[in-house]
Amino acid sequence: MARKKKTDWSKDVFKVLKKADVQQIAYVPDAGHTSLIKMAIADNVIKPVSLTSEQEGVAVLSGAWLGGEAGALLMQSSGVGNVINMLGMANECRFPLLMLVTMRGEWGEFNPWQVPMGQATEGVLEASGVIVHRVDEPSEIAETVEAAAKLAFEGGRMVAVLIGQRVVGFKDWTK
Amino acid sequence: MVSKKSKTWHWSQDVHQLFKKIGIKQVAYVPDGGLAKLLERCQADKSMRSVVLTTEEEGVAQMAGAWLGGQRGVLLTQSGGVGNCINMLSMMQECRIPLLSLVSMRGEWGETFPWQVPMGQSTIPALEAAKVIVHHVDQAEKVPETVQAAAKLAFDANRAVAVVISQRISGSGSKG
Amino acid sequence: MAARRKITLDRRKVVANILKDRGDLLLVTGLGAPTWDAASVEDNPNNFYLWGGMGGAVLTGLGLALAQPQRRVLVLTGDGEMLMGVGGLATVAVQKPSNLAIGILDNQRYGETGMQETHTEHGVDLAAMASGAGFQTTSTVYNAAELKTAIPMLYNTPGPVFVDVKVTAEDQPMILPPRDGPTLKHRFRENLLGSI
């Protein structure tokens, strides 16, 4: 049941990204983004960019915008902790930036090392000048991403959609 | 030692002496103008190992390793570098590993490079979000005592602490 | 670009082999599978397991190696984790720590997030990157014979040493070591230094 929900919202989010004319999707893989990444790779138009570290994604998408293309950055909340300096460039130059962040360390988290960054994500993004939209209901994700994309590409801002850990589910170690 | 009243006094000489006194053995850094004099003293000091990093988060990890091995270290960075460390700092938080860092500010006072301003302005909030205790100092004569207090908090009370040294002191980036 | 050869080594067997005669080796493991692999051999107080701080394993090893020059330090980590901190190879190479060795368990996958391909699946050669950074001793291992040659290098060759061991991407049983950060830190230091 939970898996069906996950794929559904990914499909809807992908449609939204296509409609917003996103042509580059940069990512460090996260379980929550698996479907979205697969769809990006399979798509004929979208260029998927696999990063070694999330800050590369901020730079790539800034370059994409310079070249006339809209993009999205997919990452886990811990990755947000790697982008803060690079965000200074997007901030300074008023580059649009759309980030989809799957949350850890906040709902049923099993790994204590995820908790500090999970708890710090929202605050640190806002301190960096990023507008944050939180979403915890699968049915609301697509419309939130649509709104965020508008704010980013037409409003010219850095926007992050935080997809709650409640949505993605937590790993079951008892298998 | 040169007295504070002397024209040639620089806070780096007192801080370097303090480092020796408290047994700092590893100095990790990405070079910065504001910390250059301190760095030169540490690099010249054979009792310390100075490690040049390709990016600041390496230094956070290195400080963890040093502590595991029984040595004290210090991380020297510019404010921009703080933005590279936020995820790695969660390891210090989770494991309660001491961290002493000196952060030289840009984008804060008389800055002439606009691109430095966003990260300069978010340095302290970002550190605090990462649960690093911040001591901001904007008078040169107060730097040594602040570093001393920070070192106690770090190594005796097992915390992550950043001494944020104002651009007002270093004057970096405010010419041209 | 790295030549494509068949990958057949089982990661658990590789790690069991590497740690078989570990003596008083100090071990730092990168997050995810390398941590489970080490735990599958034994939970040893000379192990510091990273459950986070992706990209930080090698530099944690460096700090430890510099602090304990008389002890051999091994970092065992994955290709994805190494890539996230790949600049660290330059940092380490410049410091020339003779007691530090790095072993990569390279399954060419991000194991904790759905087995997505990493850059090594697409030809990125980590041993070549280490060599380019200045490591004098590097090796890429594909089979048991090559592993047999490489293991003594991890323990005895003056460092820094870099060995990239290609392993299959097969699922392995989850074996979890302690995860509590302060506990791991305390027991490592107590065991090593006699104090926390």
Side-chain angles (χ1 to χ4, degrees), chain B:
Chain B
M1 197 136 78
V2 181
S3 110
K4 276 187 185 154
K5 294 192 173 66
S6 155
K7 281 206 175 75
T8 61
W9 180 82
H10 190 270
W11 60 262
S12 61
Q13 74 201 39
D14 292 31
V15 169
H16 170 246
Q17 286 304 311
L18 173 69
F19 283 172
K20 287 179 85 63
K21 188 157 156 243
I22 65 175
I24 296 284
K25 292 279 182 253
Q26 298 189 25
V27 178
Y29 66 97
V30 174
D32 172 69
L35 296 172
K37 285 198 164 75
L38 176 61
L39 191 52
E40 275 162 33
R41 288 175 189 274
C42 294
Q43 282 168 326
D45 187 328
K46 299 248 184 317
S47 74
M48 297 176 188
R49 183 65 172 263
S50 293
V51 177
V52 59
L53 313 165
T54 69
T55 172
E56 293 82 355
E57 67 261 39
E58 294 173 3
V60 176
Q62 183 190 336
M63 294 296 111
W67 187 251
L68 289 171
Q71 274 193 352
R72 292 180 173 185
V74 64
L75 174 60
L76 308 181
T77 78
Q78 196 194 77
S79 47
V82 165
N84 289 334
C85 294
I86 304 300
N87 185 41
M88 206 60 75
L89 285 170
S90 58
M91 172 162 69
M92 299 322 235
Q93 204 192 129
E94 169 55 19
C95 300
R96 192 72 84 73
I97 293 178
L99 176 67
L100 175 64
S101 62
L102 270 57
V103 177
S104 173
M105 285 303 298
R106 292 292 301 268
E108 181 207 30
W109 182 274
E111 179 62 63
T112 59
F113 277 50
W115 293 47
Q116 284 283 1
V117 178
M119 189 61 230
Q121 293 300 305
S122 55
T123 297
I124 290 176
L127 283 168
E128 290 180 336
K131 298 282 194 290
V132 176
I133 298 166
V134 173
H135 294 333
H136 185 258
V137 56
D138 61 6
Q139 288 169 19
E141 338 49 281
K142 296 211 166 125
V143 174
E145 76 197 49
T146 309
V147 175
Q148 182 172 35
K152 278 202 160 69
L153 193 49
F155 299 120
D156 295 343
N158 269 358
R159 290 303 194 275
V161 189
V163 177
V164 172
I165 300 171
S166 172
Q167 194 168 13
R168 194 171 185 171
I169 295 176
S170 68
S172 294
S174 61
K175 303 171 180 67

Side-chain angles (χ1 to χ4, degrees), chain A residues 140-154:
Chain A
E140 289 173 10
I141 299 176
E143 76 179 89
T144 308
V145 173
E146 188 170 9
K150 278 203 162 68
L151 190 46
F153 303 126
E154 295 170 56

Side-chain angles (χ1 to χ4, degrees), chain A residues 30-91:
Chain A
D30 175 63
H33 285 310
T34 305
S35 302
L36 211 41
I37 292 170
K38 280 202 180 104
M39 287 183 255
I41 292 173
D43 190 89
N44 284 337
V45 170
I46 290 182
K47 290 177 271 284
V49 182
S50 169
L51 314 165
T52 70
S53 175
E54 294 82 355
Q55 65 190 306
E56 297 170 3
V58 175
V60 159
L61 296 182
S62 300
W65 190 255
L66 286 172
E69 287 193 346
L73 173 56
L74 312 183
M75 56 186 166
Q76 197 195 75
S77 47
S78 47
V80 165
N82 288 335
V83 306
I84 304 302
N85 184 41
M86 202 63 76
L87 285 179
M89 170 168 73
N91 191 340

Side-chain angles (χ1 to χ4, degrees), chain C:
Chain C
M1 286 253 153
R4 310 285 299 186
R5 289 170 60 189
K6 197 160 186 323
I7 298 175
T8 57
L9 290 175
D10 175 289
R11 62 186 307 138
R12 291 287 158 92
K13 292 196 178 120
V14 166
V15 175
N17 248 309
I18 290 175
L19 296 178
K20 194 162 42 125
D21 298 311
R22 70 179 281 175
D24 63 358
L25 178 79
L26 301 178
L27 177 67
V28 174
T29 60
L31 84 178
T35 286
W36 323 147
D37 294 338
S40 77
V41 176
E42 62 165 352
D43 181 32
N44 188 312
N46 279 335
N47 295 352
F48 187 76
Y49 311 106
L50 288 169
W51 283 71
M54 187 167 173
V58 165
L59 261 285
T60 302
L62 177 65
L64 178 57
L66 292 177
Q68 290 285 324
Q70 302 307 316
R71 296 288 287 266
R72 192 74 176 180
V73 176
L74 174 63
V75 176
L76 278 182
T77 188
D79 43 302
E81 202 273 345
M82 180 72 256
L83 284 162
M84 190 170 284
V86 81
L89 292 176
T91 302
V92 166
V94 165
Q95 296 306 312
K96 294 186 167 54
S98 60
N99 58 331
L100 179 64
I102 301 168
I104 309 297
L105 298 159
D106 185 353
N107 65 350
Q108 306 184 163
R109 296 288 183 278
Y110 286 106
E112 294 305 298
T113 56
M115 283 302 188
Q116 296 91 353
E117 295 167 355
T118 69
H119 308 65
T120 63
E121 170 67 41
H122 296 277
V124 172
D125 183 339
L126 289 173
M129 292 183 83
S131 175
F135 277 62
Q136 297 293 306
T137 306
T138 67
S139 169
T140 304
V141 166
Y142 277 88
N143 59 44
E146 288 169 357
L147 182 64
K148 195 152 178 244
T149 310
I151 290 178
M153 279 165 33
L154 290 176
Y155 281 87
N156 303 320
T157 306
V161 169
F162 186 93
V163 176
D164 182 1
V165 184
K166 295 287 186 181
V167 297
T168 66
E170 268 168 47
D171 261 328
Q172 302 276 358
M174 292 297 304
I175 304 195
L176 307 183
R179 74 190 67 182
D180 184 62
T183 299
L184 290 170
K185 178 195 70 166
H186 286 343
R187 93 177 173 172
F188 188 97
R189 279 172 53 97
E190 191 152 47
N191 192 56
L192 178 66
L193 310 166
S195 75
I196 62 172

